[in-house]
Amino acid sequence: MELFETMLQHSSVRSFTQQQLSQDLKEQLTLAAQSASSSNFLQAFSIIEITDIKKRKQIEEIANFPIDNGDKGELYIFVADLNKHAQVLTLNNDSIDHLRTMESLVVSVVDATLAAQSMAVYAESVGLGICYVGGIRNNLFQIKELLDLPELTYPVFGLFVGYPAEKNEVKPRLPINAVLGTNTYRTLTPDMIDSYNKKTTAYYQQRSSNTQETNWSEKVRQHFEYPRRSDTIEFLKKQGFVF
Ligand SMILES: Cc1cc2nc3c(=O)[nH]c(=O)nc-3n(C[C@H](O)[C@H](O)[C@H](O)COP(=O)(O)O)c2cc1C
């Protein structure tokens, strides 16, 4: 399949077969991740492959996301990482103060995200399925302990990669004119929202599993009904960031 077609067929996979990824393929996945663009070539991310089943189960529990008994597919944790840069600067007796800023944090989160998405796109292009797991941030302190995360790092999400056992239907995206403006920002109109709600209502009613009476506005409402992971700021401060 053409890469473009593969990309349009993306849907998150939450169930994998027993088939293991070869070492070569795992290396290619990491190289694909590393090939992503990187702000100022800082390469401000790390990837942690979870092979310890006990650890993986603990992570899945934190994420409230058990996948196939913890032994199918690979789990990679993407970490925004300025610790490497702290080491470089410290070796040179330079200050690490400017690693602690919100801007540096954003740079590292973006780098980690681009690396992950490069891995994800490559994985899907060779027939693998993927699913991001932001749920690892349900307990940042426990994740830090499990992964021995040092100062100036932040675990952004996990990424499951494996051979798909099941695939969900593709979720209809917002119309192009809702995300692409020309020269100025494009604001969503009530009509756009209404027509997208009709589309997503039909999707949730008709999909082959986990059918629901809902739509995109309702999903948005539910998501922002209460503050999520409000310990993030405390965690980041403990990791050495200053806001
Ligand atoms: C950063 C990020 C974190 C996510 N975390 C989770 C998660 O914790 N659990 C989950 O089931 N899906 C998670 N997802 C998958 C999204 O729910 C999914 O991408 C979205 O519903 C769109 O569906 P699709 O990927 O099948 O098109 C996450 C996606 C992203 C990008």
Side-chain angles (χ1 to χ4, degrees):
M1 215 186 321
E2 289 259 330
L3 179 60
F4 179 62
E5 276 304 307
T6 306
M7 291 175 83
L8 264 53
Q9 287 305 309
H10 160 78
S11 68
S12 293
V13 170
R14 297 178 177 84
S15 175
F16 299 105
T17 69
Q18 288 286 2
Q19 189 178 348
Q20 302 286 313
L21 274 63
S22 68
Q23 278 307 326
D24 279 356
L25 188 46
K26 289 204 288 187
E27 190 178 320
Q28 287 171 3
L29 288 168
T30 309
L31 291 172
Q34 282 195 280
S35 299
S37 293
S38 163
S39 182
N40 282 289
F41 199 39
L42 288 171
Q43 306 176 74
F45 67 94
S46 283
I47 306 170
I48 302 177
E49 180 187 359
I50 307 298
T51 58
D52 179 326
I53 296 271
K54 202 171 142 223
K55 221 172 238 196
R56 175 160 155 177
K57 285 194 172 169
Q58 284 172 288
I59 294 170
E60 290 181 2
E61 209 168 292
I62 290 168
N64 194 16
F65 195 165
I67 288 219
D68 292 332
N69 204 28
D71 63 352
K72 295 182 196 152
E74 301 295 327
L75 172 59
Y76 296 98
I77 307 295
F78 280 79
V79 179
D81 182 7
L82 294 157
N83 185 275
K84 290 179 173 61
H85 313 80
Q87 290 178 48
V88 170
L89 295 176
T90 304
L91 274 176
N92 210 28
N93 292 322
D94 287 326
S95 162
I96 62 167
D97 282 359
H98 300 155
L99 296 178
R100 302 186 185 283
T101 63
M102 175 67 98
E103 169 60 13
S104 296
L105 174 64
V106 169
V107 161
S108 62
V109 170
V110 170
D111 268 14
T113 305
L114 294 181
Q117 186 60 10
S118 288
M119 180 187 280
V121 170
Y122 176 65
E124 292 188 331
S125 79
V126 293
L128 296 166
I130 64 102
C131 190
Y132 283 90
V133 199
I136 66 158
R137 299 194 306 271
N138 289 340
N139 194 332
L140 286 162
F141 291 94
Q142 219 178 322
I143 292 286
K144 171 185 159 74
E145 194 151 318
L146 275 172
L147 305 181
D148 280 330
L149 294 179
E151 198 192 34
L152 294 167
T153 60
Y154 170 59
V156 189
F157 41 65
L159 185 67
F160 281 103
V161 183
Y163 290 93
E166 281 166 33
K167 263 201 107 190
N168 300 321
E169 286 89 351
V170 173
K171 278 185 187 156
R173 264 40 184 182
L174 283 162
I176 283 187
N177 66 1
V179 297
L180 178 68
T182 308
N183 298 317
T184 56
Y185 177 81
R186 162 98 57 163
T187 306
L188 269 183
T189 63
D191 274 358
M192 283 176 183
I193 297 172
D194 186 52
S195 106
Y196 188 54
N197 279 340
K198 290 194 174 99
K199 226 174 168 179
T200 47
T201 298
Y203 162 80
Y204 284 113
Q205 281 172 345
Q206 289 160 19
R207 67 183 184 180
S208 47
S209 63
N210 191 20
T211 55
Q212 295 175 36
E213 277 308 318
T214 188
N215 59 38
W216 189 65
S217 288
E218 179 55 19
K219 289 278 181 192
V220 171
R221 192 194 65 72
Q222 281 172 6
H223 185 84
F224 292 108
E225 205 171 11
Y226 59 90
R228 289 174 187 256
R229 301 170 187 148
S230 38
D231 61 349
T232 300
I233 190 103
E234 183 197 341
F235 178 79
L236 288 169
K237 284 181 180 167
K238 287 228 162 86
Q239 288 299 88
F241 293 97
V242 176
F243 305 112

